[in-house]
C-alpha cells in the first residue's frame, strides 16, 4: 500500500465519524477546558486562546461558504441563514453583555470565538455500542429547529450557571452559614482573602452587592508594599495617608504565588497622629487610584475605604466568589456536543416546542 493510499484510507475512516471540519472544531474542547481551569485558578485567560479558536473558525467558515456556494438549494440557503444568525446575533450579544458588565472580557471573547467556530450544528457519528453502551446514531442528539449551535452553547451555559446559586446555598447550609445572601456569597476568613477571587459582599454597614473587589485589594496592598496581615495589625497607622512613603507597582491584582510581595514597611514614616482626627484622604485611597495606570476594576475611593475598614475590623467576611463564566460555557459546550440543546429538550418535553 502506498503512502497516498494509506492517507486516503485514514481520511475515509474519519469521514465515517465526522467531516474533517467538524473534527477540527473539536479542538475547542481541550482549549476551552484548559481556559476554564485557568479561569478558576487565576481569573486570567491569555488572548492567544481566542485567537486560535477564532482563527480556526474563520478558516473553517470560509471553507463551508465555498462548499455551500452558490447557495442554489434550500439546504445551502438555510445554512447561510444560520451562519448569519450566529455572527449577527450571538457576537453582538457577547459584546453587549460585556459592555453592560454582565460578562468579563474573556467570557465575551470565548462566546464570540465559539460563534465563529460553531455557527451551525456539527455532526458526529459514534460507534453505536462502545463499551456496551447504546449511543444515538448521530451527536448532538437533540438539535434545535433553528440550528444555530452557538445559541445552543449560550442557552446551555445559562442553565448550567443557574445551578451555581443552588450549589452555593447547599454548601452554606451544610456549613451552618445561614444568611439572606447565602445563595450569592460564602463566609471566608479575612486572612485567606489574598488567595481568593471575588468581591466583598458586606461592609461595616451590612450586606452590599458593591463591595471591594479582591483584585483591587491586592493591587492596593502591593502598591503600599504591605501584606494584609500588616495592614490588619496597625490599621490606625496605615489609615493616615502620611504613612505612605515609597510606593510600588500595583500589578493587575491577580493571585500569583511568584509575584513580588514586598515585606514590612519598616522605613515608612512615623506619624504624630496615627489614628485621631479626620484625614483628608483616609488610607491614601485617592492617591492610590490617581497613581495607578488604568482603574482598579471600577473601584472608587469610598468603596476602597469601606473595604479596608471591613477587612481590618473583622475576622470573617461574606465573599461573593463570582462565577467564572467560561466554566459553565465549557460544560455547556460538552453538553451541546453530546446531548444538544437542553432548553429545547425541556420545552419539547413540556409540549411547548
Amino acid at each position: 500500500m502506498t503512502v497516498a493510499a494509506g492517507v486516503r484510507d485514514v481520511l475515509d475512516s474519519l469521514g465515517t465519524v465526522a467531516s474533517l471540519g467538524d473534527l477540527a472544531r473539536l479542538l475547542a474542547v481541550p482549549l476551552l477546558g484548559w481556559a476554564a481551569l485557568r479561569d478558576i485558578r487565576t481569573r486570567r485567560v491569555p488572548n492567544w486562546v481566542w485567537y486560535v479558536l477564532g482563527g480556526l473558525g474563520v478558516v473553517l467558515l470560509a471553507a463551508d461558504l465555498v462548499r455551500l456556494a452558490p447557495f442554489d438549494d434550500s439546504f445551502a440557503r438555510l445554512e447561510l441563514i444560520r451562519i448569519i444568525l450566529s455572527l449577527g446575533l450571538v457576537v453582538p450579544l457577547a459584546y453587549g453583555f460585556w459592555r453592560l458588565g454582565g460578562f468579563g472580557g474573556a467570557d465575551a471573547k470565548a462566546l464570540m470565538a465559539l460563534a465563529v467556530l460553531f455557527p451551525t450544528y456539527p455532526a458526529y457519528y459514534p460507534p453505536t455500542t462502545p463499551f456496551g453502551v447504546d449511543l444515538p446514531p448521530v451527536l448532538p442528539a437533540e438539535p434545535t429547529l433553528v440550528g444555530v449551535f452557538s445559541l445552543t452553547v449560550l442557552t446551555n451555559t445559562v442553565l448550567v450557571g443557574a445551578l451555581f446559586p443552588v450549589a452555593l446555598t447547599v454548601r452554606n447550609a451544610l456549613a451552618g452559614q445561614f444568611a439572606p445572601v447565602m445563595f450569592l456569597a460564602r463566609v471566608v476568613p479575612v486572612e485567606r482573602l489574598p488567595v481568593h477571587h471575588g468581591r466583598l459582599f458586606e461592609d461595616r454597614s451590612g450586606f452590599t452587592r458593591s463591595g471591594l473587589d479582591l483584585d483591587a485589594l491586592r493591587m492596593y496592598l502591593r502598591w503600599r508594599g504591605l501584606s494584609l496581615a500588616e495592614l490588619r495589625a496597625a490599621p490606625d497607622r496605615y489609615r493616615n495617608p502620611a504613612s505612605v512613603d515609597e510606593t510600588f507597582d500595583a500589578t493587575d491584582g491577580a493571585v500569583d504565588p511568584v509575584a513580588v510581595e514586598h515585606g514590612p514597611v519598616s522605613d515608612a514614616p512615623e506619624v504624630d497622629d496615627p489614628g485621631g482626627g479626620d484625614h483628608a484622604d483616609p488610607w491614601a485611597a485617592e492617591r492610590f487610584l490617581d497613581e495607578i495606570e488604568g482603574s482598579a476594576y471600577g473601584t472608587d475611593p469610598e468603596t476602597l475605604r469601606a473595604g479596608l475598614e471591613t477587612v481590618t475590623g473583622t475576622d470573617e467576611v461574606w465573599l461573593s466568589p463570582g462565577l467564572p463564566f467560561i466554566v459553565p460555557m465549557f460544560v455547556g459546550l460538552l453538553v451541546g456536543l453530546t446531548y444538544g440543546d437542553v432548553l429545547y429538550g425541556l420545552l419539547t418535553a413540556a409540549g411547548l416546542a
Side-chain angles (χ1 to χ4, degrees):
M1 178 184 294
T2 65
V3 173
V7 171
R8 281 197 301 271
D9 288 344
V10 171
L11 293 178
D12 289 342
S13 64
L14 290 176
T16 64
V17 176
S19 70
L20 291 180
D22 285 345
L23 285 175
R25 288 181 169 93
L26 290 179
L27 178 64
V29 174
L31 274 181
L32 197 62
W34 178 83
L37 183 61
R38 183 176 173 88
D39 205 17
I40 292 173
R41 292 177 174 175
T42 68
R43 294 299 198 273
R44 303 293 190 279
V45 180
N47 282 327
W48 66 260
V49 176
W50 319 126
Y51 296 150
V52 169
L53 291 180
L56 177 62
V58 169
V59 171
L60 295 177
L61 181 59
D64 285 343
L65 291 175
V66 170
R67 174 176 56 85
L68 293 170
F71 310 103
D72 54 359
D73 61 76
S74 58
F75 173 78
R77 288 192 290 270
L78 183 58
E79 288 289 277
L80 179 60
I81 291 173
R82 288 166 174 165
I83 291 171
I84 292 173
L85 282 174
S86 186
L87 301 181
L89 178 61
V90 178
V91 171
L93 271 177
Y95 179 78
F97 285 150
W98 171 70
R99 291 289 296 178
L100 293 173
F103 276 1
D107 305 328
K109 293 171 186 174
L111 187 55
M112 290 178 185
L114 291 180
V116 177
L117 187 60
F118 286 102
T120 62
Y121 265 73
Y124 303 99
Y125 306 93
T128 55
T129 56
F131 307 107
V133 178
D134 291 330
L135 292 178
V138 60
L139 298 176
E142 188 69 48
T144 64
L145 294 178
V146 176
V148 179
F149 188 72
S150 57
L151 273 178
T152 286
V153 174
L154 178 58
T155 57
N156 284 356
T157 300
V158 172
L159 291 176
V160 172
L163 298 176
F164 178 70
V166 177
L168 194 57
T169 301
V170 172
R171 181 189 185 280
N172 284 329
L174 292 176
Q177 303 286 355
F178 295 95
V181 297
M182 63 186 293
F183 62 99
L184 293 173
R186 61 191 178 99
V187 175
V188 174
V190 170
E191 63 186 21
R192 297 289 299 164
L193 290 181
V195 296
H196 279 280
H197 297 282
R199 183 180 296 274
L200 298 183
F201 218 74
E202 66 173 286
D203 55 27
R204 301 304 294 275
S205 63
F207 295 121
T208 176
R209 300 194 65 173
S210 57
L212 179 62
D213 189 291
L214 294 190
D215 283 349
L217 174 62
R218 279 184 287 270
M219 290 177 65
Y220 175 81
L221 292 173
R222 291 167 186 171
W223 175 76
R224 293 202 64 164
L226 289 170
S227 68
L228 181 58
E230 291 166 340
L231 197 75
R232 284 168 51 80
D236 287 342
R237 178 186 183 190
Y238 297 119
R239 188 179 291 110
N240 191 329
S243 66
V244 178
D245 188 16
E246 181 183 6
T247 58
F248 305 90
D249 181 10
T251 75
D252 66 351
V255 175
D256 187 351
V258 301
V260 176
E261 298 289 353
H262 302 285
V265 188
S266 57
D267 58 348
E270 295 291 342
V271 291
D272 296 331
D273 180 24
D278 294 327
H279 303 299
D281 182 18
W283 301 102
E286 290 186 13
R287 177 180 169 184
F288 161 69
L289 294 172
D290 287 341
E291 289 189 4
I292 63 171
E293 295 183 6
S295 66
Y297 303 94
T299 301
D300 59 33
E302 288 306 314
T303 301
L304 177 57
R305 292 174 187 133
L308 293 171
E309 294 292 346
T310 301
V311 301
T312 57
T314 186
D315 293 327
E316 292 183 334
V317 66
W318 282 92
L319 173 72
S320 175
L323 178 63
F325 202 70
I326 294 176
V327 177
M329 193 179 299
F330 171 64
V331 177
L333 174 63
L334 289 181
V335 173
L337 289 171
T338 52
Y339 172 79
D341 195 294
V342 176
L343 179 61
Y344 183 75
L346 292 174
L347 293 176
T348 300
L352 300 176

